[in-house]
Amino acid sequence: MYMFRMFLLGLLAFGCSGQPRGAFRIGIDPLWYPLDFGPQTSYVNGYTEELLLEMAGYGGMRFELVRANFDTLLEGMRGGQYDAVITTLPPYEYNLAKYDFSKNLLDLGSVLIVPKRAFKRDLSDLDGEMIGIITHDPAALIVAKYPGLILRTYSTIPDLLNGVVNGDIQGALLNQVPAINFVGDLYAKVLEIAGKPLSNEGIHLVGPKGGIQLFEKNLETLRKKKRISALQKKWNLSL
């Protein structure tokens, strides 16, 4: 299995010519706490690394990744150990007041999982029906927007998805990354993902105010060239 080089080196540099300043240093927690991608962690890390390599080739930037713990990630940026961080930090108003957020490098929002070829494929169609989530999943906030839905919680992803298969619940909400893995593999014949993420959580670059414009510009270039979608497909992270 592909292993993210930061696990071995702790410090990883990407180089290319044409960048007038030193390397753009990025702090990152390769374990992605508080999220748990499980077996997909190496895929998320591999995608992130290759995305930066692509950006270096297209945009003339030079990157240096610095491994950090989640609880010291922002502190390290404020202390000047790196210029920005790649993180799942939510873009709440009080965070937006302090930092600039890039567009998502990878969407992590909840998706609706339903039986294969189900007629009802939207939460608005499931009024009065039972929807499952993992215990303590923020997806409960999505369910709360639909008063007619009945919420049921499960402790594990297999239990949740088996609930849909067995008809105990009519649909499940799950983070996009594990949803793609489970529905595309073990449950491919019986379940499917209905539509795009229902919330805007994601992995993004976060930096000081005014400090990530060049990164944003190069990220948009990759998006227009459809390289981001191609990389997500390569790493089995796209719908």
Side-chain angles (χ1 to χ4, degrees):
M1 181 181 291
Y2 184 94
M3 294 300 293
F4 200 32
R5 288 177 228 168
M6 283 200 306
F7 289 129
L8 302 177
L9 302 181
L11 186 72
L12 173 63
F14 307 99
C16 69
S17 58
Q19 181 72 359
R21 50 156 287 175
F24 189 79
R25 307 188 78 216
I26 300 175
I28 187 170
D29 168 23
L31 299 179
W32 301 103
Y33 185 85
L35 299 183
D36 181 7
F37 293 125
Q40 285 72 54
T41 300
S42 61
Y43 292 90
V44 174
N45 286 332
Y47 162 75
T48 303
E49 177 184 352
E50 191 165 0
L51 177 61
L52 293 178
L53 285 169
E54 289 260 355
M55 189 178 293
Y58 278 114
M61 296 186 76
R62 189 162 62 88
F63 297 104
E64 192 175 277
L65 284 177
V66 182
R67 178 172 177 166
N69 293 327
F70 168 79
D71 55 355
T72 61
L73 199 56
L74 293 177
E75 180 182 342
M77 180 177 69
R78 292 192 296 266
Q81 297 178 34
Y82 25 83
D83 302 294
V85 297
I86 289 179
T87 178
T88 60
L89 182 74
Y92 297 145
E93 287 189 13
Y94 57 84
N95 288 328
L96 290 169
K98 295 185 289 184
Y99 309 113
D100 279 346
F101 283 68
S102 75
K103 292 183 179 179
N104 285 349
L105 311 183
L106 178 66
D107 292 332
L108 300 177
S110 299
V111 293
L112 175 62
I113 299 171
V114 296
K116 203 82 169 180
R117 293 178 291 277
F119 177 73
K120 296 181 179 180
R121 306 178 61 83
D122 188 273
L123 288 178
S124 60
D125 299 328
L126 294 169
D127 188 64
E129 306 282 10
M130 189 169 289
I131 295 294
I133 65 171
I134 296 296
T135 303
H136 304 308
D137 193 317
L141 297 176
I142 299 175
V143 177
K145 297 178 181 179
Y146 298 83
L149 295 179
I150 304 169
L151 181 63
R152 182 172 179 178
T153 59
Y154 292 82
S155 58
T156 70
I157 293 176
D159 287 343
L160 172 67
L161 299 184
N162 286 336
V164 182
V165 174
N166 297 332
D168 299 328
I169 54 178
Q170 284 62 59
L173 293 180
L174 186 63
N175 178 289
Q176 175 176 286
V177 171
I180 290 171
N181 176 65
F182 278 89
V183 175
D185 186 11
L186 298 176
Y187 294 84
K189 295 182 179 181
V190 291
L191 298 179
E192 59 186 346
I193 295 172
K196 296 183 179 181
L198 300 173
S199 52
N200 63 357
E201 291 93 347
I203 292 173
H204 27 245
L205 186 86
V206 176
K209 286 292 185 180
I212 65 170
Q213 292 98 328
L214 182 57
F215 184 94
E216 278 271 64
K217 179 181 178 181
N218 291 337
L219 183 65
E220 185 60 26
T221 297
L222 291 186
R223 199 178 305 277
K224 289 180 179 179
K225 291 179 178 290
K226 298 184 178 180
R227 290 304 303 152
I228 292 179
S229 58
L231 288 176
Q232 290 178 357
K233 183 177 181 180
K234 173 183 176 179
W235 290 99
N236 196 30
L237 296 171
S238 64
L239 295 173

